[in-house]
Amino acid sequence: MTPHVAPPEFLQLAGHPVRWRLLGELGRSDRTVGELTGLISEPQNLVSYHLGKLREGRLVSSRRSSADRRDTYYGIDLPRIGDLLSAAGQALHPGLRLAPPPRDVALAGAPRILFLCTGNSARSQMAEALARALSGDAVQAFSAGSQPRPLHPNAVRALREAYALDISGQAPKSFDVYAGQRFDRVISLCDRVREVCPEFPGVAEAVHWSLPNPATGEPDDVTYPLFQQAAAELATRIGFLLTALAHPPGGD
């Protein structure tokens, strides 16, 4: 007789219907508790309880909003969840291995993506360059800000040293430059710009990635690791975004 083996803890944690719905919503965009409450039509205390459980399991993380300190943004750890899903499959049978879909599939129609942050000096500029490079120029990536500032030298350095990308020639732009243009995705990268982001035609849902500002006002050599972290997180998120664009729900 085969000994009884409990399901992996991940399945027990993520398999709860409310928590599964929360993970699904966070897979699309970072959200506040209030937003999640409305999206899944459950009481706020219940949503907060299950978010706490997901945080304990390190499936989601939280960060205070830089726009309103009373709000907290929750984000999903997709790489960790992918690893846990793969481990759960192999625990059931060695032949069950989670294989991510290929990301080198041609993207139909050259999707247009606009990245926004306040200054268009670091996060959104790095995201624009990474989206172009990681897609092999299959997407049309743009960036802008609500209050454009000069390009930060640490953003240039971080992409040059880790990704061999030169963004020194990119210039900051106001999002007014793109008023009325159509995009497949408009992604805000800071909490402040999300509050003032204009609507763009054809965008079904605004996506928010709550990334802390690496430009803290301290000397460049002190903040450089923060720019490295921001670039790495952007590269990870953009990789998943490109997969979603190449393999939309209901597609082949």
Side-chain angles (χ1 to χ4, degrees):
M1 178 181 293
T2 303
H4 171 71
V5 178
E9 184 179 352
F10 164 72
L11 293 182
Q12 301 178 60
L13 176 62
H16 188 283
V18 172
R19 292 196 282 267
W20 187 253
R21 290 168 66 193
L22 289 172
L23 290 173
E25 292 296 340
L26 293 174
R28 288 185 280 276
S29 176
D30 294 358
R31 304 283 190 186
T32 64
V33 172
E35 291 171 329
L36 290 167
T37 297
L39 286 166
I40 71 170
S41 301
E42 295 288 355
Q44 183 167 322
N45 61 342
L46 184 69
V47 169
S48 296
Y49 169 79
H50 286 294
L51 283 172
K53 291 294 185 182
L54 293 171
R55 281 186 61 196
E56 289 174 9
R58 295 187 295 121
L59 303 187
V60 304
S61 60
S62 64
R63 192 180 71 82
R64 286 285 182 185
S65 168
S66 59
D68 186 341
R69 300 297 292 178
R70 295 169 297 180
D71 280 337
T72 297
Y73 277 102
Y74 287 84
I76 191 171
D77 189 338
L78 287 173
R80 173 168 163 76
I81 289 177
D83 290 342
L84 291 171
L85 281 169
S86 183
Q90 291 180 60
L92 187 63
H93 190 282
L96 292 177
R97 295 178 179 271
L98 181 67
R103 290 177 179 166
D104 57 355
V105 177
L107 297 174
R112 288 169 55 86
I113 305 173
L114 176 62
F115 295 99
L116 301 175
C117 67
T118 301
N120 191 216
S121 61
R123 288 164 288 183
S124 55
Q125 294 279 10
M126 291 192 291
E128 174 186 345
L130 286 166
R132 290 176 177 172
L134 295 176
S135 70
D137 288 323
V139 302
Q140 301 178 65
F142 308 88
S143 68
S146 57
Q147 301 174 28
R149 301 188 185 97
L151 186 63
H152 200 291
N154 273 348
V156 177
R157 179 185 171 191
L159 287 200
R160 182 182 66 245
E161 293 186 354
Y163 302 94
L165 297 176
D166 181 10
I167 64 170
S168 60
Q170 293 183 190
K173 302 170 291 298
S174 168
F175 53 43
D176 293 338
V177 170
Y178 299 107
Q181 294 191 31
R182 301 181 70 88
F183 294 93
D184 297 280
R185 294 286 193 284
V186 174
I187 302 174
S188 54
L189 303 177
C190 79
D191 306 329
R192 288 189 175 91
V193 82
R194 189 191 191 201
E195 302 295 321
V196 297
C197 181
E199 292 187 5
F200 291 87
V203 177
E205 179 184 27
V207 174
H208 182 54
W209 296 349
S210 182
L211 274 67
N213 186 1
T216 63
E218 298 174 281
D220 289 355
D221 59 337
V222 174
T223 62
Y224 182 59
L226 300 179
F227 282 80
Q228 292 176 300
Q229 293 168 22
E233 181 170 354
L234 284 167
T236 297
R237 288 188 183 239
I238 288 168
F240 281 102
L241 171 65
L242 296 177
T243 298
L245 290 170
H247 303 272
D252 295 334

